[in-house]
Amino acid sequence: MTAPLETEIRTERLLLRPLAAADAPAIERLAGDERVARLTARLPHPYPAGAAEAFIAMALGQERGGAGRWFAITRADGPDALLGVIGLEADDDGTVEIGYWLGVPAWGQGLMSEAVPAVVAFARQWRPGARIAAHTFPENVASQRVLEKAGFRRNGVGVCQAPARDRKTVRNAPLFVFAPDETA
Ligand SMILES: CC(C)(COP(=O)(O)OP(=O)(O)OC[C@H]1O[C@@H](n2cnc3c(N)ncnc32)[C@H](O)[C@@H]1OP(=O)(O)O)[C@@H](O)C(=O)NCCC(=O)NCCS
């Protein structure tokens, strides 16, 4: 099934909506925080001027080409204010990688625990039958907990880049694969 590019996902408290050019300043401000960047495999630090615009252009290009889907994480009652980003990318082998970050002010409120299951449900429609996977850094217990609660199980380790850290490569990055206990 090909979901329309303007797909919105609603959860109890959140509206996950398409990214827009107007999101660039919020992305630059929130992703520019070293506490966010150091836990991700993608965000550079310091966050370069223009990188948010380039990211949005990349995301929209992936969506048009069918290789990815990206959402601005917002509160349902404040959809203009981006809190973070969550996205899906299809690898060459057909695996769908889920990735996400929240700005520090939104941490610890259960928001990513709410967003991830909703995006996983979307991913299962977007790429039926595909393996859905996520890499985390070893110390990122919060992200690992989010994934476990969403039905992911630890499945070995992989290699991740860590552009915001001196150590550029993390070789023991726990890999999580969506494997819900459908009998529960
Ligand atoms: C990781 C991140 C997405 C978590 O989002 P969040 O909305 O703050 O997380 P939630 O509040 O939904 O839940 C986090 C869970 O981890 C737990 N947790 C949080 N910090 C923890 C810690 N240091 N140790 C153990 N558990 C922790 C919480 O208690 C909660 O579990 P619970 O519901 O069983 O109590 C967010 O902190 C973030 O964006 N970090 C920076 C970027 C990043 O790490 N991206 C993911 C890369 S894989």
Side-chain angles (χ1 to χ4, degrees), residues 61-180:
Q62 271 197 351
E63 295 203 334
R64 283 192 296 271
R69 298 303 298 259
W70 295 90
F71 300 92
I73 303 173
T74 72
R75 290 190 187 275
D77 58 3
D80 291 340
L82 178 144
L83 307 177
V85 172
I86 188 164
L88 303 167
E89 288 181 299
D91 291 349
D92 292 343
D93 70 357
T95 295
V96 172
E97 285 267 352
I98 184 168
Y100 45 81
W101 60 264
L102 273 178
V104 174
W107 287 9
Q109 301 164 42
L111 296 179
M112 200 57 88
S113 299
E114 206 171 299
V116 167
V119 173
V120 167
F122 174 83
R124 295 177 83 183
Q125 296 186 330
W126 182 55
R127 286 282 195 280
R131 191 171 89 126
I132 306 172
H135 286 89
T136 65
F137 289 169
E139 75 277 22
N140 199 348
V141 181
S143 184
Q144 292 163 10
R145 182 81 191 112
V146 165
L147 291 165
E148 284 171 351
K149 289 196 296 179
F152 287 73
R153 299 291 166 254
R154 204 178 275 249
N155 192 326
V157 292
V159 177
C160 267
Q161 301 309 310
R165 292 146 64 142
D166 293 341
R167 191 158 44 103
K168 297 287 185 207
T169 302
V170 176
R171 300 199 177 278
N172 59 339
L175 172 67
F176 284 77
V177 174
F178 182 64

